[in-house]
Amino acid sequence: AATGALKNLSVDEESKAEMSRQDGLRALVELLKAPDMVVVGKSAECLGNFALEQTYRIHICELKGVELLLALLEPGTQEEARLAAAGAILNLAVEEACKEKIRSLGGISKLVSLLNASLPLTLRAVVAMTVTNLGAQEQCALAVAEAGGVNALIQCMGKPTDDVLQEKAASALWNLSAVDSIKATVRKAGGIPFLLSVFEFSTFVPALENCLGTLLCLAETQDNRFAIAQAGAINLLIKLMESEHPTVVEKAAGVIWNLAHEETVQHTVRQLGGMKPLIGLLSSDSPLIRFNAAGAFPLLTEQEENVSDAFELGAVRPLVELLATETNVLLLQNVAQALGNIAEGHQDYQQVISENKGLQRLADIISKWAPTNENLEACIEKPDWLNRQELLAKCCFAVWLICQKNEVNQVTFCEVDGIAGIVKVLRPACCETLLEMAAGAVCALCEGCGRNKDRFREEGGLEPLISLLTHCCDNVKLNAAKALCHLSENEENRR
């Protein structure tokens, strides 16, 4: 009765503090050795309540509570006491020191054995949650894999199971899959079909989210991308993008983004009707959904058939709108590259991008992010300097392909003051990719366009462009030479 009362009191902060001052934690740890399993179970539950706070977790660990709790996981322990001990270990496993203690004491193999399909679903779910906490530390994650934990967690996805166990097992697999070597282990253990089966047969949103999170990690490797696609994931993911739950939509789009690094997937997404819902997500109210949807487009538009599909389905307008409304550098990079891919070699597509103010938006971004003489040194010292240069490079790439052999667009870019921004990035301090793209843009803007040749000179672009002829990168020198070839057709420029 006393331990039961203490268990109830241990949910109250003031009571916990008073019990701690009276050395109650030591007494509770000692009670884990009691012959009465009811007392042991209540003591473990009480310690689990204390373990919700960092100070108490460390103290329980110092009192050798972890050792005694792990001992209660052995076969033969009364079911309620074993569940209480597992719950306490779950809360302790949040602490880094406790993770290490559990691993060093061989606790991980004991926990993995409790994922067995013959044991109660509740116990297996608690253990899966514990593995989630342990899996946040790489050494523990590797120990879980070595103990057969990956296969055991995958089996939790199939019968006998329930929504909660599937959710917790998928959460554990998500954390474990963050470790590169375990990505392959999940695939080889047959985990991918089990994860996809949840999409087919479950409507439990937390389980869906965790399965998608696991696939996000798994899809970071090529072998896994092929395996996921071949298992029929694309069709399921396209359906999930139409879910009423934003977190599900966000992660489904994210998995498609990762998978789209493969050419076969790029085609499959189009063939299964995935382009239309992805385009719709570009206008979502959720920033994360927009981010993931936009991320897929530079990859999907590598294929000519996808470019035609995206254009016909109206992708240009929402992509251009993102250039005006977003501030995330990576998202803007992806949008700029996608627009460049769409424009390449299609004069009618180039024109539609321009009519939707695409060139003006690109000019605005270049002007905003390009360094000036006054702030160049400060820009270089900022941690986002590399990302900023990549954004500028992608924008120059887009300008290049939108204006190439298109006199109307060449003039439009001049009229929105875009050339001044291009000149700003022709600096030796900029990376070679940015200089290559900027020089290529100058080449496209000035080819056959007398107005732009004059404007480029008036903006002071000739001198920095000439200096690029001695750059160490051959592609930079080549594009600079081509641009100067066009510029030198103007008599005033030759002088």
Side-chain angles (χ1 to χ4, degrees):
T3 50
L6 287 173
K7 189 204 87 171
N8 293 334
L9 286 169
S10 64
V11 299
D12 175 76
E13 297 304 314
E14 291 185 10
S15 299
K16 280 197 282 192
E18 181 59 30
M19 289 167 67
S20 179
R21 283 193 291 270
Q22 299 296 328
D23 210 14
L25 279 177
R26 185 182 300 277
L28 287 167
V29 170
E30 286 298 314
L31 285 173
L32 294 176
K33 305 174 186 175
D36 186 338
M37 280 293 111
V38 174
V39 171
V40 170
K42 298 297 182 185
S43 300
E45 286 185 54
C46 194
L47 287 168
N49 290 336
F50 272 97
L52 292 168
E53 296 183 39
Q54 181 184 32
T55 303
Y56 300 134
R57 288 195 294 268
I58 293 171
H59 194 28
I60 292 168
C61 192
E62 291 170 346
L63 291 169
K64 301 191 182 300
V66 174
E67 290 91 325
L68 294 170
L69 288 164
L70 288 174
L72 293 172
L73 301 182
E74 297 287 354
T77 302
Q78 185 191 50
E79 189 173 311
E80 290 80 3
R82 185 162 59 172
L83 179 60
I89 292 168
L90 162 64
N91 292 343
L92 287 167
V94 173
E95 196 68 38
E96 292 300 307
C98 293
K99 287 184 176 76
E100 181 56 35
K101 177 69 74 173
I102 292 167
R103 184 176 69 84
S104 65
L105 292 169
I108 287 176
S109 60
K110 290 183 179 181
L111 287 163
V112 168
S113 70
L114 297 182
L115 293 169
N116 191 282
S118 65
L119 295 172
L121 296 178
T122 303
L123 176 62
R124 295 167 73 199
V126 170
V127 172
M129 292 166 69
T130 308
V131 175
T132 298
N133 289 343
L134 291 168
Q137 186 188 84
E138 184 172 352
Q139 290 303 313
C140 286
L142 292 169
V144 169
E146 189 175 339
V150 170
N151 190 65
L153 288 163
I154 290 169
Q155 296 307 312
C156 289
M157 308 297 292
K159 295 179 180 179
T161 191
D162 61 11
D163 287 342
V164 173
L165 179 54
Q166 285 186 329
E167 173 206 348
K168 305 308 179 187
S171 176
L173 287 169
W174 187 355
N175 268 8
L176 295 175
S177 297
V179 179
D180 287 342
S181 62
I182 298 178
K183 289 176 169 60
T185 305
V186 175
R187 182 187 74 252
K188 292 173 182 177
I192 291 169
F194 277 91
L195 291 164
L196 297 182
S197 71
V198 175
F199 303 150
E200 291 188 87
F201 303 113
S202 177
T203 57
F204 188 53
V205 172
L208 296 175
E209 289 179 14
N210 289 344
C211 289
L212 286 165
T214 304
L215 287 176
L216 268 170
C217 287
L218 294 177
E220 291 173 1
T221 69
Q222 186 175 57
D223 286 343
N224 282 352
R225 289 195 288 269
F226 284 135
I228 292 167
Q230 289 167 1
I234 307 301
N235 195 43
L236 295 170
L237 291 166
I238 291 170
K239 290 178 181 177
L240 288 173
M241 287 196 296
E242 298 174 353
S243 168
E244 62 184 19
H245 303 284
T247 53
V248 171
V249 175
E250 168 213 328
K251 290 181 176 62
V255 178
I256 287 179
W257 178 3
N258 279 359
L259 294 175
H261 285 81
E262 304 306 326
E263 181 178 344
T264 53
V265 172
Q266 294 166 2
H267 288 295
T268 303
V269 170
R270 180 191 73 255
Q271 291 162 354
L272 294 177
M275 299 295 286
K276 185 175 181 179
L278 274 170
I279 291 169
L281 297 184
L282 294 173
S283 304
S284 169
D285 291 335
S286 165
L288 292 174
I289 291 175
R290 295 195 303 271
F291 180 82
N292 284 348
F297 274 92
L299 300 168
L300 292 171
T301 53
E302 289 176 1
Q303 304 305 321
E304 183 61 33
E305 298 95 325
N306 288 358
V307 168
S308 299
D309 218 27
F311 182 81
E312 294 299 329
L313 290 168
V316 169
R317 180 181 293 276
L319 284 169
V320 171
E321 286 178 357
L322 289 175
L323 291 178
T325 58
E326 294 289 344
T327 57
N328 183 287
V329 173
L330 182 55
L331 186 149
L332 292 171
Q333 287 176 23
N334 287 327
V335 170
Q337 184 172 343
L339 286 170
N341 289 350
I342 291 170
E344 186 174 11
H346 294 278
Q347 195 161 34
D348 47 343
Y349 297 178
Q350 293 172 336
Q351 208 56 43
V352 170
I353 292 171
S354 179
E355 289 167 1
N356 279 276
K357 299 188 176 180
L359 286 171
Q360 181 177 332
R361 303 304 181 209
L362 288 165
D364 291 344
I365 291 173
I366 293 171
S367 177
K368 175 182 176 180
W369 292 91
T372 62
N373 289 328
E374 293 74 24
N375 70 1
L376 177 60
E377 191 172 332
C379 287
I380 293 172
E381 292 175 356
K382 287 183 178 179
D384 70 343
W385 173 234
L386 290 177
N387 286 334
R388 178 187 288 223
Q389 290 183 92
E390 191 165 351
L391 170 59
L392 290 166
K394 295 288 176 66
C395 288
C396 290
F397 165 81
V399 170
W400 179 352
L401 294 175
I402 295 168
C403 295
Q404 192 167 44
K405 301 188 184 303
N406 189 315
E407 188 174 356
V408 174
N409 285 0
Q410 289 172 323
V411 172
T412 298
F413 193 71
C414 179
E415 289 176 344
V416 297
D417 295 326
I419 290 177
I422 299 287
V423 171
K424 286 181 183 177
V425 301
L426 296 174
R427 302 172 181 275
C430 293
C431 69
E432 60 186 45
T433 301
L434 173 52
L435 293 174
E436 177 189 346
M437 295 301 148
V442 174
C443 191
L445 287 164
C446 294
E447 182 181 7
C449 184
R451 182 173 179 177
N452 284 358
K453 291 170 186 173
D454 285 329
R455 186 62 175 271
F456 189 77
R457 180 187 69 252
E458 292 162 2
E459 294 291 350
L462 289 175
E463 186 176 348
L465 190 62
I466 291 169
S467 71
L468 295 184
L469 294 174
T470 58
H471 196 276
C472 60
C473 174
D474 288 342
N475 286 336
V476 173
K477 288 188 283 192
L478 178 62
N479 284 352
K482 287 180 178 178
L484 287 167
C485 182
H486 292 305
L487 287 161
S488 64
E489 294 169 356
N490 178 290
E491 184 177 353
E492 191 68 26
N493 288 344
R494 288 198 298 273
R495 294 176 184 170

